[in-house]
Amino acid sequence: MSSAPVVLAAVGPISAAGNGREAFVAGLVSGAEFASPVSLFDPGDLPTSRAAEIRNFNLSDYLESAKTYLDRASAFALAASSLALRDGNLEVTPENDTRVGLCFGSMVGCLGTMRTFYDRVLARGVQSANSVLFSHSYVNTPISLVSIEFAIRGYHCTYSSGLTSGLTAMAHAADVLRAGQADVILAGGVDALCQTLFQALSDAGWLATDEGAPGWLLGEGAALAVMELESHVQQRGAKPLAFLTGAGLTTDVKGTGDGQTRAMEAAVREAGVTPADIHVLYLSANGDAEADDLEAAAVSRLFGNALPTQVRLKSRLGETLAAGGPFSVLAAATTLTSGQRALVNSFDPHGGCVSVVVEKGADDS
Amino acid sequence: MIRQVAITGLGVVSCLGNEVETFWRALCAGECGLRPLTKFDPTGLRNENAGEVHDFDLSQHLPDNVPLAGLESRDEATQFALAAACDAWTDAGFAQEPPDATCTALAFSTNFGGAESWELYCTELAEGKADPELFLGFGFHDAAQHAAGILNAAGPSVTTSNSCSSGASALGVGFDLIRAGRAEVVIAGGYDGLGVSSLAGLSIMRTISPDTLRPFDKNRSGTVFAEGAGMLVLEELTRAQSRGATIHGLLLGYGLNNNAYHLTAPDKDGAGMVAVLQQALSCAHVSAEEIEYVNAHATGTQYHDVAETQAVKQVLGKHAYEIPMTSIKGATGHGMAAAGAMEAIATLLTMRDGVIPPTLHYETPDPECDLDYVPNQARRQEVTLAVSISAGLGGNNAAVVLKRYDGEGGAA
């Protein structure tokens, strides 16, 4: 298979920093902090009360059609898709609809709806199950709704590989494009906050506490990019925003950081560059002391003393699960300057490792 | 040079048995694995039968050097996945001579993850305090994470969730990992466990039949769900050849798409399935006329079976009437994410033995389903090239093209 660079032609972020390309970039460069007391639900007596929530989100700002019921993750996916398609001036038509694809990652899918559905079954029995809630509770519900909303009939896959889900989706989308299975793919990740997730991760001791114990600042959002081969971008008269030039996917089986190193090495190798050619490193670091130390050691092994500029996006956007890696890709694609390259990491505490190289073309805007 | 994908290992955990040959013998004998549910009270569901896995013991599937300790507490669905993956691994000969860890990948799939753990977690929450380990055990990548540790698979680890086309989609992702040079060996397939939550939802949607599962029969009234796992070892062909592996067949190509029609209703004209079949044939570089057998998704629902029949007729033309098209779901039940992988395994065994497994519970022909469904009794017939179709809630479709391996280089 060719290792041709894949174009990142447009972006669709729904994030705590802002929604849409301009607001997202403005939020990133503002230096503002996005953590605040949770407003979506009452955290009760949990030791954590803060998260990086998306505030004032209205799906009607992004879609013309009204929806009767949507999980928050599905709403984010629909809004981000709308933004990305508009940002890329990509029109899905009966002529191209089977050549336009979707590759979305989601770690927990529509968890909030899944819980609501099952609580009702627990309380009232199986005959009281609600079919609407059930059909909106799948991990792949958001991507299916996007397919239906925008009549996207081509390649279609949902990835649920923990924190690496979204960046896995983007790396696989690049391979699918190179293999000729699609002309253009909307790829990235989506996950949403809900009380069940917040409580489970708090009870597991994964969240930073109000009293200062280290851990994740939980976040949420959707980060999608329009990905396509350069020939297709030229054919439709669009302009590349940046390029995804390499990817590395590994597993850190023994918890030594070896997988993290190999993922970064593979991505850099596939991009045809060396670590010295990387200008910015978007870390996976999310406040998990052990995982952050493993990543730091792996970074040292790869870069030695010549460390690139390091960005910890999750310290502001929060740990957005499947959207985490893609948010870093979007940030790189929209903020790198001409000729710069970024290495983006997405590592899961259970061993999954994905890294990609994003490059801003020499003449890109 | 395009890298070809061989299949060198198979593993099954199912209501027809927990090893490949038991599963296959039962399929060919026309046995049905659907029986009264025992793992929970089915009162209120549209059907009190399902395809439960019985006599399951993970320790019987683990390689000799892998201790059971800690694994027996994982969710049962995860254990199904691990058992089938280990069997496929052993079948490939890797228990004795494992491949290089960094070249070994996982492409798993599931619809409901650790469903039993999820239900226990919710039950405990309703009572006031829940064990967060249950929530983590529900995680969709829990099985792949543990398989990576057991099998020392340090390459890519991907878990997909494409509703009931998941198993076939995992094979597609595994295919791509080898084609792209990201792995030499991939353990790929799907798994799911039966749970109150999923069956309650599928029952209230009337997807479940109050009768039995009758693919293509005029009186079909829905599906009956099952649990288990199907796993295949995918391996770069020249690697498999050079080590003298038993090659069960070749994965020539695949397709994945979406109907873009409705979240729960099938697209009655089968346009999505037409497109996915064309996508898979194009990827495999084979023509419709070369297909000799179709392993259908056919779930026994009124609309789906007609739509699938129409799609196959549209893509294969008159040739569709000249070849058999069967659904094993009358025997296995609908194994959700496991289904596509189990059906790929059945298709490979069809090509190995020259036996078409029958479509069970087929009694009354439907004029709208007018192909050769091999009703109720297996048939001897040589098959060298076949396609297996999967579809699922949300409008997902998948198709994989499989070829018998006759010792050649691999190109169809």
Side-chain angles (χ1 to χ4, degrees), chain A residues 155 158 160-161 172 175 251 270, chain B residues 154-155 159 161-162 176 182 254:
Chain A
Y155 195 92
T158 303
S160 193
S161 307
H172 187 227
D175 288 344
T251 302
E270 188 170 289
Chain B
T159 299
S161 188
N162 293 327
D176 284 343
R182 301 197 185 283
Y254 79 102

Side-chain angles (χ1 to χ4, degrees), chain B residues 197-289:
Chain B
S197 180
S198 54
L199 289 192
L202 294 161
S203 185
I204 208 72
M205 285 170 57
R206 305 178 75 82
T207 306
I208 293 178
S209 167
D211 180 26
T212 193
L213 202 167
R214 302 178 185 279
F216 303 116
D217 186 284
K218 186 175 184 184
N219 297 319
R220 65 190 179 277
S221 54
T223 199
V224 179
F225 284 93
E227 62 186 357
M231 292 286 171
L232 298 86
V233 170
L234 312 183
E235 186 171 356
E236 195 277 322
L237 177 59
T238 60
R239 185 190 190 284
Q241 287 171 326
S242 66
R243 72 182 182 92
T246 298
I247 296 176
H248 297 294
L250 304 174
L251 176 55
L252 294 186
Y254 79 102
L256 297 182
N257 76 357
N258 191 284
N259 295 334
Y261 177 71
H262 192 273
L263 202 52
T264 55
D267 184 1
K268 291 179 187 172
D269 68 4
M273 266 183 288
V274 168
V276 88
L277 277 167
Q278 291 169 335
Q279 193 185 2
L281 294 175
S282 171
C283 177
H285 298 290
V286 301
S287 67
E289 293 73 28

Side-chain angles (χ1 to χ4, degrees), chain A residues 1 46 98 107-108 111 114-119 121-122 126-132 134-141 143-145 147-148 150-165 168 171-172 174-176 178-179 181-182 196-197 199-201 203-206 246-254 258-259 262 270 348 350-353, chain B residues 1-3 41-45 101-102 106 111-112 118-123 125-126 128-130 132-133 135-136 138 140-141 145 148-150 152-164 169 172-173 175-177 179-182 196-202 204-205 254-264 275 279-280 283 393-397:
Chain A
M1 187 182 294
L46 294 175
T98 61
M107 177 169 151
V108 298
L111 186 72
M114 194 182 286
R115 171 84 190 282
T116 305
F117 168 79
Y118 190 56
D119 272 359
V121 170
L122 275 176
V126 297
Q127 287 174 308
S128 297
N130 182 300
S131 60
V132 172
F134 182 72
S135 64
H136 280 266
S137 71
Y138 277 58
V139 165
N140 62 313
T141 299
I143 189 175
S144 295
L145 290 168
S147 176
I148 295 162
F150 300 102
I152 295 173
R153 297 187 163 85
Y155 195 92
H156 187 97
C157 193
T158 303
Y159 310 78
S160 193
S161 307
L163 297 185
T164 65
S165 303
T168 297
H172 187 227
D175 288 344
V176 170
R178 291 180 185 125
Q181 289 266 52
T196 304
L197 176 70
Q199 178 169 350
L201 296 182
D203 288 347
W206 289 22
L249 297 89
T250 68
T251 302
D252 187 37
V253 175
K254 301 189 189 309
D258 161 70
R262 286 186 292 109
E270 188 170 289
D348 185 86
H350 294 118
C353 302
Chain B
M1 183 178 171
I2 293 177
R3 287 157 62 90
D41 178 5
T43 303
L45 298 176
T102 61
L106 302 171
N111 287 7
F112 298 108
W118 168 247
E119 289 169 6
L120 274 172
Y121 181 74
C122 290
T123 303
L125 272 183
K129 188 69 180 171
E133 279 300 316
F135 181 80
L136 301 178
F138 158 60
F140 279 39
H141 63 313
Q145 172 207 333
I150 290 171
N152 195 24
S157 175
V158 181
T159 299
T160 56
S161 188
N162 293 327
S163 60
C164 295
S169 72
V173 171
F175 176 87
D176 284 343
L177 290 172
R179 272 283 170 98
R182 301 197 185 283
V196 177
S197 180
S198 54
L199 289 192
L202 294 161
I204 208 72
M205 285 170 57
Y254 79 102
L256 297 182
N257 76 357
N258 191 284
N259 295 334
Y261 177 71
H262 192 273
L263 202 52
T264 55
Q279 193 185 2
C283 177
L393 200 78
N396 296 272
N397 301 300

Side-chain angles (χ1 to χ4, degrees), chain B residues 9-24 27 53 56 61 80-81 83-88 91 190 227-232 328 332 338 341-346 349:
Chain B
L10 308 174
V12 165
V13 171
S14 77
C15 62
L16 289 178
N18 302 330
E19 58 181 47
V20 170
E21 295 304 329
T22 312
F23 164 81
W24 179 234
L27 269 184
V53 168
F56 178 76
H61 301 267
F80 294 159
C86 288
D87 283 357
D91 184 40
E227 62 186 357
M231 292 286 171
L232 298 86
I328 66 168
T332 61
M342 284 185 193
E343 289 156 15
I345 289 169
L349 297 172

